[in-house]
């Protein structure tokens, strides 16, 4: 399952969600502003204190920001 | 092999100018596509309180633009925010817009590609990007709850960002190399906040820190003094530059990099219009962007009518 780390007010997070939906990709969303545990997981994975949006499948390989070519590569789209 | 698709009108950019043009083109039954490489809404997508757009006492940029997008789509315009433009050929007939996935042939092109935010012009920018240097206060501001924030810039976007970030910051510096250019109303709100220290005529000389930003070195041009400020995060709002890279081989650009076109939005190429902040003009407001979008769309329809006899 694809996991994305987001924030409600982030326009790039909204764009990422619209993109995944347009490609029929199911995803699990974690709002790092509201969910401190998810924030810690995201921080540990990326090494960055506060980064959104972040896309991952395995919790090791990830893409920060809405970087479509990299997201396509990560998710084999 | 990329699919070739014909469109009456291709609009490049989904900010206020582009989406207003799409609304009008759609309403005139023109087959209209809007391509957006970045964020729908452009510069106003992040605006928190717009108080100078007629019809609204106060409105969020995202909400306003989302309504205009809905209006455009209700009239049949299609907005594609995922397929990035790679190349445009405007002098041919039809005009060609090649994206990552498709090739569009368009009888009319309306360029409404707007402006991009300038990056912090310091060598440390790359080292601290995402680790203390930020450009989107709505995305990254909450990461600085109870911390010391600096905002760099003196225009409306900078002061609005600073006003927004005061809800997180325990202390906030507004640092700008010259005098304020922001609206008096926004300045007044910022000045009234006791967490805020305003440092005008002050340049940022360097950023320091081990793994992330810890300090900012500033230079006060009036006193000639250098100071070190403890800062956890800096949000950069030092202006914008026209998003015209795609067109530089097709159209002559002005000294500022914008597209020369009069109030009729017509460029030097028949059937190519420039609308909104990307057009060379004196006043660049949300209302004038909507006005440009309207003008470009109505004259595009006239151009198409003539083209088709």
């Amino acid at each position: 399952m694809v996991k994305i780390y987001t924030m409600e007010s982030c326009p790039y997070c909204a764009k990422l969600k619209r993109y995944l939906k347009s490609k029929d990709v199911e995803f699990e969303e974690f709002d790092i502003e509201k969910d401190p545990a998810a924030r810690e997981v995201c921080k540990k994975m990326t090494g960055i204190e506060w980064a959104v949006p972040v896309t991952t499948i395995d919790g090791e390989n990830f893409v920060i920001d809405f970087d479509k070519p990299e997201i396509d590569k990560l998710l084999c789209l | 092999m990329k699919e070739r698709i014909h469109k009456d009108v291709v609009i490049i950019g989904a900010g206020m100018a582009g989406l207003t043009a799409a609304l009008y083109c759609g309403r005139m039954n023109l087959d209209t596509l809007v391509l957006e490489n970045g964020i729908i809404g452009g510069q106003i997508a992040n605006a928190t309180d717009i108080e100078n757009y007629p019809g609204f006492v106060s409105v969020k940029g995202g909400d306003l633009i989302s309504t205009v997008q809905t209006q455009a789509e209700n009239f049949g315009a299609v907005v594609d925010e995922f397929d990035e433009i790679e190349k445009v050929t405007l002098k041919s007939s039809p005009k060609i817009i090649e994206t990552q996935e498709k090739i569009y042939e368009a009888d009319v092109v309306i360029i409404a590609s707007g402006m991009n935010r300038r990056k912090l012009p310091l060598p440390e920018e790359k080292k601290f990007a995402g680790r203390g240097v930020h450009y989107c206060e709505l995305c990254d501001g909450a990461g600085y709850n109870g911390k010391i924030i600096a905002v760099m810039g003196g225009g409306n976007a900078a002061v609005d960002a600073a006003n927004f970030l005061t809800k997180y910051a325990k202390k906030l510096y507004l640092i700008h190399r010259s005098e304020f250019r922001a609206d008096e109303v926004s300045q007044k709100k910022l000045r009234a906040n006791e967490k805020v220290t305003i440092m005008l005529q002050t340049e940022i000389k360097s950023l320091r820190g081990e793994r992330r930003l810890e300090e900012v070195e500033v230079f006060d041009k009036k006193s000639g003094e250098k100071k070190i400020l403890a800062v956890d995060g800096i949000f950069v709002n030092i202006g914008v530059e026209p998003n015209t890279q795609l067109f530089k081989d097709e159209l002559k650009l002005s000294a500022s990099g914008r597209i020369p076109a009069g109030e009729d939005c017509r460029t030097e190429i028949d059937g190519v219009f420039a609308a909104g902040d990307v057009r060379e003009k004196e006043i660049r407001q949300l209302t004038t962007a909507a006005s440009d979008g309207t003008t470009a769309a109505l004259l595009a329809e006239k151009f198409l009518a003539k083209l088709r006899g």
Side-chain angles (χ1 to χ4, degrees), chain A residues 7 9 11 15 18 48 50 68, chain B residues 38 81-82 100 130 138-139:
Chain A
M7 259 179 62
S9 60
K15 180 165 179 165
R18 289 194 295 271
I48 297 177
W50 196 279
K68 187 173 158 239
Chain B
E81 58 174 324
F82 305 126
Q100 287 168 335
L138 289 182
C139 307

Side-chain angles (χ1 to χ4, degrees), chain B residues 23 51 84 101 114 153 160 163 216 218 220 229 240 279 298:
Chain B
L23 188 170
E51 295 174 335
E84 200 159 315
E101 292 169 13
D160 288 350
N163 276 320
V216 174
V218 297
D220 183 330
L229 307 174
V240 287
R279 180 168 78 84
L298 291 171

Side-chain angles (χ1 to χ4, degrees), chain A residues 18-71:
Chain A
R18 289 194 295 271
Y19 182 61
L20 295 178
K21 281 177 191 165
S22 79
K23 295 285 182 185
D24 292 324
V25 174
E26 285 186 31
F27 58 86
E28 202 176 348
E29 183 181 6
F30 300 92
D31 185 324
I32 68 165
E33 192 175 20
K34 294 176 183 158
D35 182 346
R39 190 187 314 153
E40 278 309 305
V41 171
C42 188
K43 182 178 160 184
K44 203 171 168 189
M45 176 172 61
T46 60
I48 297 177
E49 194 152 348
W50 196 279
V52 284
V54 173
T55 307
T56 185
I57 299 179
D58 58 10
E60 286 180 19
N61 299 295
F62 58 88
V63 177
I64 299 178
D65 216 335
F66 182 79
D67 185 337
K68 187 173 158 239
E70 289 301 313
I71 290 166

Side-chain angles (χ1 to χ4, degrees), chain B residues 86-260:
Chain B
E86 291 181 335
K87 192 180 174 214
V88 297
T89 307
L90 300 174
K91 286 169 189 159
S92 62
S93 181
K95 298 143 199 348
I96 309 293
I97 291 100
E98 187 170 350
T99 66
Q100 287 168 335
E101 292 169 13
K102 297 186 177 87
I103 295 173
Y104 292 102
E105 298 174 346
D107 294 323
V108 165
V109 171
I110 298 175
I111 302 171
S113 49
M115 315 281 276
N116 286 330
R117 272 197 191 182
R118 279 204 184 96
K119 295 257 180 189
L120 180 66
L122 288 175
E124 308 91 283
E125 196 270 346
K126 277 209 167 97
K127 177 182 172 186
F128 294 119
R131 293 178 168 82
V133 173
H134 302 274
Y135 296 87
C136 176
E137 58 280 0
L138 289 182
C139 307
D140 305 323
Y144 292 91
N145 205 6
K147 298 197 172 172
I148 304 173
I149 297 175
V151 172
M152 185 179 182
N156 280 323
V159 174
D160 288 350
N163 276 320
F164 173 76
L165 289 165
T166 53
K167 74 175 182 176
Y168 300 117
K170 74 172 176 194
K171 179 165 185 57
L172 186 141
Y173 297 103
L174 186 293
I175 304 169
H176 184 46
R177 63 181 180 173
S178 57
E179 296 301 321
F180 270 134
R181 284 176 291 107
D183 290 343
E184 201 60 46
V185 178
S186 306
Q187 283 185 44
K188 203 173 164 187
K189 189 174 168 189
L190 191 67
R191 287 182 199 280
N193 193 313
E194 59 187 21
K195 291 180 191 174
V196 175
T197 302
I198 294 170
M199 305 173 82
L200 300 177
Q201 298 292 342
T202 302
E203 285 178 352
I204 294 184
K205 288 294 185 189
S206 67
L207 307 179
R208 299 170 181 184
E210 281 293 316
R211 292 184 62 234
R212 54 168 299 115
L213 180 67
E214 292 167 17
E215 291 175 343
V216 174
E217 183 191 6
V218 297
F219 174 68
D220 183 330
K221 294 199 285 185
K222 277 196 281 194
S223 68
E225 269 179 69
K226 274 186 182 174
K227 283 181 202 161
I228 305 290
L229 307 174
V231 168
D232 297 299
I234 181 164
F235 287 77
V236 182
N237 272 284
I238 51 171
V240 287
E241 50 199 5
N243 195 1
T244 48
Q245 272 299 104
L246 270 175
F247 317 108
K248 64 180 171 41
D249 297 330
E250 297 287 309
L251 288 162
K252 278 182 206 136
L253 301 178
S254 69
S256 67
R258 295 184 177 85
I259 299 173

